[in-house]
């Protein structure tokens, strides 16, 4: 058995709106909807409101927001709510883009874009594996927009469905 060091590098582009792979109208609509969804979130404990919008391959947009619960593990993040909704209503349709937007009750929209939590990253990676194509993540902050070409870029040594086969 050979042992060796592995260096992992993740590229996250601090981007301009032109590099998103969307029209200006699509981007503006997705951010506005994500903001509306954040307003509809149920976050009485963290007071951290997150909205997400997925653009599907067929042009449809679906959205979700974080839903907390006093029994913390029972809540769900906006990203998973959105992906699960897309899977339930459009099971054979790929997600091409996912916009993630967050704000706090005290300060409004976050200055630095947030990234999906580890559980959401895993769900996004599995969705990419199932659909056979990456999901472009667009993380929106007050001052910056980060564009990540694939959820796998956030988890370089990811556990995918083929991992269960020992591949």
């Amino acid at each position: 058995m050979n042992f060796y060091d592995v260096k992992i590098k993740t590229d996250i582009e601090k981007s301009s709106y032109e590099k998103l792979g969307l029209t200006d109208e699509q981007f503006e609509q997705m951010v506005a909807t994500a903001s509306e969804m954040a307003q509809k979130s149920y976050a009485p404990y963290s007071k951290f409101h997150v909205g997400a919008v997925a653009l599907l391959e067929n042009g449809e947009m679906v959205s979700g927001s974080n839903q907390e619960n006093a029994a913390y593990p029972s809540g769900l993040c906006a990203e998973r709510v959105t992906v699960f909704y897309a899977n339930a209503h459009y099971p054979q349709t790929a997600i091409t883009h996912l916009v993630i937007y967050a704000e706090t009750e005290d300060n409004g929209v976050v200055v630095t874009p947030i990234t999906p939590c580890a559980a959401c990253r895993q769900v996004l990676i599995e969705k990419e594996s199932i659909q056979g194509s990456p999901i472009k993540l667009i993380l929106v902050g007050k001052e910056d927009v980060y564009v990540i070409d694939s959820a796998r870029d956030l988890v370089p040594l990811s556990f995918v469905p083929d991992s269960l086969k020992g591949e």
Side-chain angles (χ1 to χ4, degrees):
M1 180 177 295
N2 295 319
F3 293 91
Y4 54 92
D5 290 333
V6 175
K7 294 189 191 296
I8 298 172
K9 179 182 170 193
T10 299
D11 292 324
I12 298 175
E13 182 178 352
K14 192 172 174 179
S15 188
S16 63
Y17 295 132
E18 297 82 39
K19 295 182 180 179
L20 302 177
L22 300 168
T23 66
D24 290 345
E25 182 179 286
Q26 285 175 313
F27 176 75
E28 289 171 13
Q29 180 182 1
M30 290 180 79
V31 172
T33 302
S35 174
E36 289 172 21
M37 292 310 297
Q39 297 295 317
K40 294 178 182 179
S41 74
Y42 180 68
Y45 309 106
S46 70
K47 303 196 183 333
F48 193 75
H49 303 273
V50 182
V53 178
L55 176 62
L56 307 182
E57 187 175 56
N58 64 4
E60 293 286 331
M61 289 187 197
V62 299
S63 56
S65 60
N66 58 317
Q67 301 295 313
E68 294 180 351
N69 192 282
Y72 289 122
S74 299
L76 277 179
C77 300
E79 300 91 330
R80 282 182 282 159
V81 169
T82 302
V83 171
F84 294 157
Y85 183 91
N87 287 343
H89 292 273
Y90 303 94
Q92 303 302 319
T93 306
I95 296 173
T96 61
H97 294 76
L98 183 69
V99 169
I100 304 167
Y101 170 98
E103 59 184 51
T104 66
E105 289 183 15
D106 295 334
N107 299 317
V109 64
V110 295
V111 174
T112 302
I114 64 160
T115 61
C117 74
C120 289
R121 291 175 191 204
Q122 183 63 40
V123 167
L124 290 165
I125 288 165
E126 182 140 346
K127 178 63 176 170
E128 288 181 340
S129 293
I130 291 166
Q131 69 186 29
S133 60
I135 299 169
K136 185 171 284 213
L137 304 177
I138 302 168
L139 315 177
V140 178
K142 187 182 293 184
E143 296 178 6
D144 297 316
V145 174
Y146 295 165
V147 178
I148 302 164
D149 290 329
S150 168
R152 286 188 188 207
D153 292 339
L154 294 174
V155 188
L157 299 175
S158 55
F159 189 84
V160 296
D162 285 343
S163 300
L164 293 171
K165 299 175 190 172
E167 297 177 1

